[in-house]
Amino acid sequence: MQFGQFDEFNREYVITRPDTPAPWCNYLGSVDYGAIISNNATGYSFVKSGASGRITRFRLNSRSNDQPGRYIYIRDNSDGDYWSGSWQPVCKPLDLYKSECRHGTAYTIIKSQYRDIETNTSYFVPLNKFYEVWGLRIKNSGASARTLSVFGMVEFTNHDHYENDTVNLQYSQFISKTYFKGNHILQVINENGSEAAADVDGGCDAMGDPSFRFFGVAGAEVAAFDGERDVFIGNYRNYGNPAAVEAGGCSNTPAYNGNSCGALQIDITLNPGEEKEMIFLLGAGDGEIAREIINTYDTALSNNTDLAGQQLEELKHLWHSRLENLQIDTPDDKFDNMVNVWNAYQCFITFLWSRAASFQYCGLRNGLGYRDTVQDIQGIIHLDYRLAKERLCLMLSAQISNGGGLPLVKFDHVPGKIETPDESEYARKTGQSFYRADDALWLFPTVMTYIKESGDWNFIDEVIPYADRGQTSVYNHLKQAIQFNLDRQGPHGFPAGLFADWNDCLRLGTKGESMFVAFQLYHALSIFRDFASRKGYGSDVEWADKHMERLSKAIDDFAWDGTRYVRGFTEAGYTIGSKDNEEASLWLNPQTWAVISGAAGGERAGLVLEQVYRKLNTKYGAMLFYPAFKKFGLPVARMVLFNEGTKENAGIFSQPQGWLILAETIVGNGNRAYEYFNEINPAAMNEQAEIRVLEPYVHGQATEGIDTLNHGRSHVHWLTGTASTVMVAAVNGILGLQPDYDGININPCIPAAWKYFSMTKHFRGKLLNIKVDNSAGVEKGVKHLIINGKKLVGCYAAFDGLSDKNDILVVMG
Ligand code: GLC
């Protein structure tokens, strides 16, 4: 079933059937004021944190598909019929009600058509502002005049903190009030003094600042209001049939205890063909701030200046200029849609929001997970390496001087002063008391990719503090990261798995060993060796060589199981992922990482990837391992807690699919890399949305494997490491855009059937117009490049040889 389609030109996804299998969402705003909105206008808003700065209410996992949201009701006062500007919450029959939702880059436009009344609402957060706009245009396309009431409605939280608002009702309900202030409703929390002030001297200082939220309207007179949700909605009713709308008007009731809301009624008459515009404004701020913001839009509207329209254009411009840094045109639109717009946009959203706020995460993870964040950075480096660098520096400053990463980097991280997981204080503050084995190893591919994209080799010498004490160069940070794993090894000479490696569920401890981390370490050593050799540090090159050789021998001696690499060893000496095991006998990640790290090449690389294809692949992606854990109670493998075929228990965990695509491109299998890309490409499931369920324009965290009742259903939208691994695999692997220190390699690995494609890439201020000629029909291999008319053998273009604008022909064969 299909519910919408891609509008490639406008960089939008257009939903024309609003009864999507799940709420299909988009993100608005920035980390200062963020919002998430579905195709039916459901969702929530927050200031800085989804958990502790929550301003509107939202019930995760509720029925009626996750409500409430940013609702606009329209009532025809001639007969009392009413509907909503988004299909939900009133849900008029779809043969009478037409709806279109356009999710774009940081904005969402929802249109409706019902009984000759058309609405068009643009939801967005203007650039660098801390409030949101719901710009409504309403038009009478019929032949007779209509008298209508329009109601804008938002449900506030009673407390900034999500948990307090949701479960601590004996407190939070009694600290909130609303006032009507002419063109807006003002909500005040803790009017008699803030909690922060009360805490200062132990209990009852009544001074301190209350917090305020507002919901107002510009361009229209408010006829009536309700500030109390339960009055607006009424008892034994819901958002779909609010008492006030049904009765024909609000009752001017403010909230005092109970549940604050902003409901504003505007009465209008529309002559045939007439259109009116009004702008609802929602944000956190006191009456003065609210008045100023509303006045700005009022003035603009009365001067016929389209302020909201201009702001929307600014937003589009910002986002589109980021995306412009790489644009491609291949024979596959679905591939292009992801690389040009949606996967790229998702990488930015994941980068910005980490795992904070979505329809699955409520924002309670109040910080950045180390591994997730360092990986997320990789997804945007090719589009905005400057932004990537800022976050990369932050993450280096969250590395501990022993080389390990902080499990959770708090949003208010201050390097040099942080306790480590070795200290009880850190555990008390974050709930995390153990090191992960892999955290700091993710720095290697990320630092390398950053340097090669930007050309900023000096970064290697930049001095960055450690989280706990001291400071050193990036180079030494990296050496120390390797040292962390060398200092924590098991009996076979592999890195200990500690509290977890990439698999959150594997608790291998200080003597159990992880082969995923072993391959990561091998990869880290080879990247570090490269850095050391460029710096001319011979003894470090030798040091890296020695450890790579040692590791390589141990891999051959202990981790090669004849047809596959094993996943690890428990402290008790049990081999995880051995072919003789009854359950979980073949794992995906050690095979792909053997190839990515360079530890396995030639025949072995081909062999392990073939095993994966034959034994783990499904039409919706490769499973993390197989068979699922069920009977076998391996205590360190806590994924047995998940139902078989789900997430880490033999599910199709989507992030590793990116590594699988990349590994196939390394060995030159373009057809297979593309097959794997397609299996997981959200756009490729656009016509089977009822199976995949998740938004067809974003990657999810995991898809259900073959052991479940819903093979192919995907879960956990938007905020997932899948965004970056699939992006890297597509750009670096399939498209073959591989920047190097002093130039760029263009070495595609594509399906043989792609005879021709083109790309435009901005590379360190230079424009590359690349055309790829594969009339030879190969999967990989470049005979020569023709750069601005000059022929060069191979696939490497030196930076010095490039002009500001370059025409590059890549001839494969
Ligand atoms: C989730 C976590 C990530 C972890 C993965 C597998 O995606 O965010 O850190 O690596 O699960 O456990």
Side-chain angles (χ1 to χ4, degrees):
M1 256 192 277
Q2 184 177 346
F3 296 80
Q5 67 280 331
F6 292 87
D7 176 344
E8 214 174 329
F9 180 77
N10 286 306
R11 296 174 171 152
E12 291 171 337
Y13 186 82
V14 190
I15 299 161
T16 42
R17 263 191 73 166
D19 56 340
T20 47
W24 285 0
C25 292
N26 194 13
Y27 282 79
L28 314 176
S30 67
V31 283
D32 293 314
Y33 184 101
I36 175 160
I37 183 166
S38 79
N39 55 312
N40 278 306
T42 67
Y44 57 92
S45 307
F46 48 93
V47 177
K48 292 193 193 301
S49 157
S52 56
R54 182 69 73 85
I55 68 170
T56 71
R57 192 171 282 156
F58 183 73
R59 292 172 193 83
L60 286 177
N61 204 20
S62 59
R63 237 323 61 185
S64 317
N65 285 343
D66 303 327
Q67 293 194 351
R70 302 170 179 85
Y71 293 145
I72 293 174
Y73 300 89
I74 301 110
R75 181 181 195 273
D76 189 328
N77 290 330
S78 67
D79 59 4
D81 190 14
Y82 61 89
W83 61 102
S84 38
S86 44
W87 180 58
Q88 276 188 295
V90 179
C91 300
K92 283 290 186 191
L94 287 174
D95 52 343
L96 303 175
Y97 181 96
K98 295 280 159 275
S99 148
E100 182 185 275
C101 165
R102 289 181 168 263
H103 283 317
T105 46
Y107 66 89
T108 287
I109 297 172
I110 301 181
K111 298 181 190 169
S112 77
Q113 251 182 49
Y114 179 72
R115 288 183 53 201
D116 291 336
I117 297 296
E118 296 171 15
T119 67
N120 177 321
T121 316
S122 314
Y123 295 96
F124 64 96
V125 177
L127 220 50
N128 306 319
K129 304 284 187 220
F130 311 117
Y131 59 85
E132 66 192 67
V133 169
W134 314 355
L136 171 71
R137 277 187 274 127
I138 180 163
K139 184 175 175 185
N140 177 2
S141 52
S144 51
R146 304 283 285 275
T147 343
L148 308 170
S149 292
V150 175
F151 303 79
M153 191 265 183
V154 67
E155 182 171 338
F156 293 120
T157 53
N158 282 331
H159 195 282
D160 289 338
H161 200 277
Y162 163 82
E163 260 184 348
N164 251 327
D165 177 60
T166 315
V167 298
N168 193 12
L169 304 189
Q170 58 81 29
Y171 170 66
S172 57
Q173 289 210 317
F174 309 116
I175 56 172
S176 161
K177 291 176 191 165
T178 55
Y179 294 96
F180 178 60
K181 301 281 185 184
N183 57 7
H184 65 279
I185 287 191
L186 187 69
Q187 183 203 22
V188 191
I189 300 174
N190 284 127
E191 194 172 38
N192 305 336
S194 70
E195 285 166 52
D199 283 345
V200 171
D201 50 12
C204 54
D205 183 343
M207 306 304 285
D209 296 329
S211 57
F212 298 93
R213 290 84 171 266
F214 64 86
F215 180 63
V217 66
E221 290 286 313
V222 176
F225 75 94
D226 278 320
E228 166 58 54
R229 178 198 67 182
D230 296 347
V231 171
F232 181 77
I233 303 279
N235 272 346
Y236 306 103
R237 288 171 173 272
N238 56 52
Y239 302 102
N241 60 356
V245 177
E246 209 161 280
C250 293
S251 58
N252 297 329
T253 313
Y256 190 99
N257 305 331
N259 289 289
S260 297
C261 80
L264 299 173
Q265 176 188 339
I266 292 107
D267 294 336
I268 55 172
T269 303
L270 286 178
N271 291 318
E274 191 184 354
E275 182 176 83
K276 283 207 157 85
E277 184 175 3
M278 59 190 85
I279 295 172
F280 292 100
L281 295 148
L282 166 68
D286 61 20
E288 202 176 319
I289 293 173
R291 264 195 311 279
E292 200 184 306
I293 293 170
I294 298 165
N295 284 347
T296 311
Y297 289 87
D298 260 332
T299 313
L301 285 169
S302 54
N303 293 340
N304 279 327
T305 310
D306 186 10
L307 175 62
Q310 286 164 9
Q311 291 177 325
L312 190 54
E313 285 309 311
E314 270 171 31
L315 258 188
K316 283 189 198 169
H317 179 74
L318 170 85
W319 276 99
H320 291 186
S321 63
R322 282 178 175 157
L323 303 182
E324 282 304 327
N325 286 322
L326 176 65
Q327 288 293 302
I328 62 164
D329 188 2
T330 75
D332 180 358
D333 284 351
K334 292 177 167 147
F335 183 86
D336 296 353
N337 275 325
M338 295 314 287
V339 173
N340 289 340
V341 185
W342 287 98
N343 193 176
Y345 178 53
Q346 184 181 3
C347 282
F348 276 107
I349 296 298
T350 308
F351 173 89
L352 293 170
W353 292 111
S354 188
R355 304 299 175 270
S358 72
F359 275 23
Q360 279 85 43
Y361 292 108
C362 71
L364 276 177
R365 199 197 278 193
N366 230 352
L368 302 168
Y370 203 92
R371 95 163 65 90
D372 291 348
T373 307
V374 179
Q375 293 175 70
D376 292 345
I377 296 170
Q378 284 185 46
I380 66 153
I381 291 178
H382 67 295
L383 297 174
D384 192 341
Y385 61 75
R386 290 184 182 86
L387 189 62
K389 181 183 179 184
E390 275 173 40
R391 185 59 64 80
L392 185 51
C393 290
L394 173 78
M395 297 314 287
L396 282 157
S397 84
Q399 188 190 12
I400 299 158
S401 54
N402 67 9
L406 278 180
L408 191 83
V409 186
K410 305 244 320 260
F411 290 131
D412 54 2
H413 176 72
V414 186
K417 297 205 164 93
I418 308 285
E419 297 86 9
T420 71
D422 297 324
E423 293 156 86
S424 56
E425 191 56 13
Y426 182 77
R428 195 184 64 76
K429 285 185 186 155
T430 63
Q432 311 278 338
S433 51
F434 302 100
Y435 289 102
R436 273 75 172 154
D438 63 324
D439 277 344
L441 291 177
W442 295 104
L443 290 169
F444 290 83
T446 307
V447 168
M448 183 187 69
T449 309
Y450 164 71
I451 290 178
K452 290 185 171 177
E453 182 73 45
S454 64
D456 180 13
W457 170 245
N458 292 338
F459 181 60
I460 205 78
D461 294 323
E462 269 182 43
V463 173
I464 294 180
Y466 280 119
D468 52 341
R469 62 191 154 84
Q471 58 176 25
T472 191
S473 63
V474 170
Y475 182 87
N476 285 330
H477 272 268
L478 295 176
K479 191 169 181 194
Q480 196 56 37
I482 292 174
Q483 195 58 49
F484 177 85
N485 293 95
L486 295 179
D487 289 345
R488 291 163 181 78
Q489 303 229 340
H492 302 98
F494 297 128
L498 306 182
F499 188 67
D501 60 12
W502 175 87
N503 263 105
D504 282 330
C505 290
L506 267 190
R507 307 260 190 280
L508 292 169
T510 53
K511 288 283 167 286
E513 296 162 293
S514 160
M515 285 317 296
F516 192 164
V517 182
F519 289 122
Q520 276 191 286
L521 182 61
Y522 188 88
H523 191 41
L525 281 161
S526 84
I527 292 173
F528 180 75
R529 187 197 183 285
D530 201 23
F531 290 156
S533 121
R534 278 182 68 83
K535 297 259 349 147
Y537 294 163
S539 60
D540 280 353
V541 172
E542 276 170 38
W543 178 79
D545 278 341
K546 185 185 80 192
H547 285 295
M548 283 170 78
E549 275 161 36
R550 189 190 53 77
L551 207 50
S552 183
K553 180 161 184 334
I555 292 169
D556 275 354
D557 290 349
F558 307 116
W560 177 247
D561 198 21
T563 52
R564 71 203 60 189
Y565 290 102
V566 303
R567 179 63 175 83
F569 306 90
T570 69
E571 295 196 347
Y574 172 83
T575 307
I576 306 170
S578 152
K579 64 178 180 316
D580 304 323
N581 295 350
E582 217 177 293
E583 296 179 344
S585 55
L586 175 65
W587 289 59
L588 173 61
N589 289 331
Q591 320 313 325
T592 54
W593 271 84
V595 177
I596 292 170
S597 66
E603 254 178 53
R604 247 186 215 186
L607 183 63
V608 294
L609 291 177
E610 193 55 31
Q611 290 285 315
V612 166
Y613 188 67
R614 282 207 229 126
K615 302 198 168 129
L616 297 179
N617 194 32
T618 77
K619 59 180 168 172
Y620 304 119
M623 297 176 290
L624 201 53
F625 58 71
Y626 206 73
F629 282 116
K630 189 170 183 183
K631 291 176 267 171
F632 185 51
L634 183 61
V636 299
R638 293 165 59 96
M639 53 279 278
V640 68
L641 301 176
F642 292 122
N643 296 332
E644 305 94 83
T646 310
K647 284 186 58 135
E648 286 183 78
N649 191 11
I652 302 162
F653 215 99
S654 310
Q655 191 185 5
Q657 186 90 359
W659 298 321
L660 179 55
I661 300 166
L662 187 64
E664 289 287 3
T665 64
I666 290 171
V667 302
N669 288 335
N671 288 337
R672 198 163 278 175
Y674 179 63
E675 182 179 347
Y676 283 135
F677 184 93
N678 275 338
E679 287 168 1
I680 194 188
N681 184 357
M685 291 289 283
N686 196 39
E687 280 98 68
Q688 287 162 283
E690 77 287 3
I691 296 177
R692 187 170 183 273
V693 177
L694 231 63
E695 293 94 332
Y697 44 92
V698 292
H699 287 287
Q701 185 198 63
T703 297
E704 295 187 34
I706 54 175
D707 290 346
T708 83
L709 302 178
N710 301 291
H711 181 36
R713 179 168 65 171
S714 294
H715 296 273
V716 189
H717 66 173
W718 282 96
L719 305 182
T720 159
T722 317
S724 71
T725 60
V726 177
M727 192 75 198
V728 169
V731 174
N732 183 285
I734 296 178
L735 299 170
L737 293 168
Q738 298 158 9
D740 209 334
Y741 300 104
D742 302 314
I744 181 167
N745 289 293
I746 309 171
N747 191 12
C749 183
I750 52 174
W754 284 11
K755 298 290 183 251
Y756 177 84
F757 70 98
S758 63
M759 318 185 253
T760 5
K761 175 175 169 62
H762 289 261
F763 181 52
R764 304 181 198 164
K766 299 194 188 291
L767 181 65
L768 314 184
N769 284 318
I770 304 167
K771 298 195 182 341
V772 180
D773 171 0
N774 185 31
S775 36
V778 298
E779 293 174 62
K780 194 171 184 177
V782 169
K783 280 206 288 206
H784 59 262
L785 305 178
I786 300 178
I787 305 182
N788 302 326
K790 218 173 116 200
K791 190 166 166 182
L792 290 173
V793 176
C795 65
Y796 180 69
F799 189 74
D800 283 349
L802 294 173
S803 313
D804 288 347
K805 282 190 182 164
N806 303 274
D807 288 322
I808 303 182
L809 181 68
V810 179
V811 180
M812 295 180 69

